[in-house]
Amino acid sequence: MPLNEYGYEEDVYKKASEELEKRVKDKLPDNEKYDKMFVERFLRARKCDVKKAEEMLLESLKWRKEHDVDTVLDRKPDPRIVRYFPHAFLGQTQHGRQVYFERTGRSCLPGPEMISLDDLFKWKVWQSEYLDDKLRNSPKKTVVCVLDMDGLSMSMLTKHVINFVKMVGEVEEKNYPESLHKVFVINAGWAFSGCYKIVKYFFAEEIREKIRVFTDSGYEKELYESVPPEIIPTFIKGGKNKYEDQEWAGDLTYQRTLPQSSEHEGLHNKETIKAGAIHEHTISVEQDHHIEWAFLTEKHDIEFSLLCPEGKHVHAPKKYTPNSLPEKGAHKAQKKGTYTVVFSNKASWTASKTVRFTVGSVGPE
């Protein structure tokens, strides 16, 4: 008996699909979203077990009603969150699958005092619904994800980020199953290996089996067998689409300026800090504005911290090692006043440290 594209015998799959549709027909909202694609993804998620698929689908319907998911695309996504995630839907593969591209290593998620897990949840649901609409109008109903880890460091894996990744796994597994075709993780260095060991179990085994991990080479052949190089940015090896230094164009979730390819781009200040010394940089900030920073240390590690107007730490001292891309962060000012960025080299007895950095203030959106 021939198998269909999902790996099931066609007659068995068709019969199970018809039975599931019959069971849930009167329970589905009167909305074009709840079509055959919607129903069958739950069937495949439960290996064609109609009873289990029905239970899973009905739980998802409750979740959608509780969070008013059917209307999320009527509202714009939170612009504060968009700022920290360079990403885009770039087009389709040779086989008609959507392609999602993300510069994960360049993302910079601030703490929960600025962007709460509930804010991130709403943004994630918006993004998932956006993709769902694109899949509904695509020849193939699954997405290929390309995640560029260039610039990733272990310091980015905060408790807030871990909670966010866990939430993403739960939302996708329970409510958008069988939407993923394959994930290409590229430029994955030692930092990714450390991070992935922590977060991989937030995703179902079926998801993990679809993830292909590559270091700084060796991915071109397999990637470009699935994704046309014409839609991949040129800063990715083998890519031919010249996106750098301009806003992404075309069919995008959001218009977003890509980070500059030069590691020193935008780091306007440079200081050499002698052994045993510190360097302080002050900035006047209005209440509820965001202090944002980025810095690079050359060759040696450096300790970074942020003081509020009363001289207390609002970003505890933390040692950062040299990296090819800037360390980035942000803090929401609870009161108006002068804040102080501190780079400390007190731990060194002999070596001077050179730091390139920028510090700025951004008003509330």
Side-chain angles (χ1 to χ4, degrees):
M1 181 72 67
L3 304 180
N4 63 15
E5 63 178 302
Y6 305 116
Y8 297 98
E9 293 183 3
E10 187 58 49
D11 289 347
V12 174
Y13 185 82
K14 182 179 179 181
K15 182 178 179 180
S17 176
E18 291 174 349
E19 176 63 21
L20 180 58
E21 287 188 65
K22 180 179 178 181
R23 289 191 182 198
V24 301
K25 181 179 179 180
D26 295 335
K27 301 171 184 177
L28 295 174
D30 185 17
N31 187 312
E32 63 180 9
K33 290 177 180 289
Y34 301 97
D35 55 7
K36 191 178 187 69
M37 182 190 87
F38 177 85
V39 173
E40 288 190 351
R41 64 165 41 144
F42 293 94
L43 182 66
R44 295 194 298 276
R46 290 297 176 260
K47 310 298 184 186
C48 273
D49 185 316
V50 174
K51 182 178 179 181
K52 290 182 178 179
E54 180 185 12
E55 292 172 353
M56 183 184 185
L57 188 153
L58 294 180
E59 282 299 311
S60 184
L61 289 179
K62 291 180 184 177
W63 175 85
R64 295 180 66 87
K65 183 176 181 180
E66 178 183 353
H67 298 287
D68 197 18
V69 174
D70 287 349
T71 66
V72 297
L73 293 182
D74 296 336
R75 303 180 289 275
K76 291 184 178 180
D78 191 332
R80 300 173 306 152
I81 299 175
V82 175
R83 177 188 304 165
Y84 299 106
F85 287 93
H87 68 281
F89 290 93
L90 298 180
Q92 295 186 7
T93 69
Q94 294 93 327
H95 305 293
R97 292 186 172 89
Q98 290 294 323
V99 178
Y100 172 79
F101 182 88
E102 180 179 291
R103 301 193 83 177
T104 311
R106 303 277 183 117
S107 62
C108 176
L109 181 63
E113 71 280 357
M114 286 181 60
I115 298 177
S116 69
L117 193 61
D118 185 60
D119 293 331
L120 291 168
F121 170 79
K122 292 174 181 176
W123 175 76
K124 176 56 191 171
V125 173
W126 191 98
Q127 189 187 55
S128 296
E129 286 295 297
Y130 180 89
L131 172 60
D132 230 32
D133 271 9
K134 295 183 77 62
L135 294 182
R136 191 167 283 106
N137 297 304
S138 300
K140 298 292 185 180
K141 310 304 181 184
T142 52
V143 62
V144 174
C145 296
V146 183
L147 308 181
D148 179 16
M149 295 296 161
D150 184 35
L152 187 74
S153 67
M154 286 295 293
S155 64
M156 296 167 66
L157 194 66
T158 64
K159 182 179 179 181
H160 192 41
V161 169
I162 291 173
N163 289 336
F164 170 56
V165 174
K166 183 178 180 180
M167 177 267 290
V168 168
E170 291 177 351
V171 168
E172 291 294 328
E173 182 180 352
K174 294 179 180 179
N175 303 287
Y176 302 93
E178 298 298 312
S179 298
L180 181 67
H181 177 68
K182 189 178 290 186
V183 179
F184 292 94
V185 178
I186 61 176
N187 297 318
W190 67 268
F192 173 79
S193 298
C195 293
Y196 190 55
K197 287 178 182 178
I198 297 173
V199 303
K200 68 179 181 180
Y201 295 109
F202 297 151
F203 298 93
E205 183 177 354
E206 292 81 1
I207 298 293
R208 299 199 301 270
E209 290 175 350
K210 297 177 180 180
I211 298 175
R212 299 282 289 125
V213 180
F214 299 89
T215 55
D216 60 352
S217 63
Y219 59 79
E220 298 97 319
K221 184 178 185 298
E222 188 169 338
L223 173 62
Y224 295 124
E225 284 177 351
S226 295
V227 182
E230 288 76 16
I231 69 172
I232 294 295
T234 53
F235 52 76
I236 299 301
K237 192 180 300 182
K240 297 182 179 180
N241 203 334
K242 296 181 179 180
Y243 285 116
E244 54 275 66
D245 302 336
Q246 58 181 280
E247 288 193 330
W248 290 14
D251 187 13
L252 306 179
T253 313
Y254 321 108
Q255 292 295 317
R256 165 71 193 237
T257 301
L258 286 174
Q260 305 291 319
S261 56
S262 169
E263 63 183 30
H264 293 161
E265 186 73 34
L267 303 182
H268 307 298
N269 305 294
K270 181 179 179 180
E271 293 290 337
T272 299
I273 308 169
K274 294 181 179 180
I278 66 171
H279 173 74
E280 296 183 339
H281 180 92
T282 59
I283 180 172
S284 297
V285 183
E286 297 295 322
Q287 184 176 350
D288 293 331
H289 283 215
H290 298 154
I291 306 164
E292 296 186 342
W293 61 84
F295 64 90
L296 275 173
T297 174
E298 300 179 0
K299 297 183 181 179
H300 305 286
D301 56 23
I302 196 76
E303 184 181 274
F304 170 88
S305 62
L306 178 67
L307 304 176
C308 69
E310 290 80 12
K312 297 180 180 179
H313 283 110
V314 290
H315 185 289
K318 182 177 180 179
K319 186 177 291 186
Y320 291 85
T321 56
N323 197 352
S324 61
L325 294 169
E327 299 285 353
K328 299 177 182 179
H331 174 78
K332 183 177 180 180
Q334 299 301 315
K335 58 177 62 178
K336 178 180 178 179
T338 300
Y339 288 72
T340 304
V341 167
V342 181
F343 294 103
S344 175
N345 193 23
K346 286 188 174 182
S348 178
W349 289 13
T350 58
S352 296
K353 312 288 178 68
T354 298
V355 180
R356 296 177 183 269
F357 67 95
T358 185
V359 181
S361 173
V362 180
E365 297 286 353

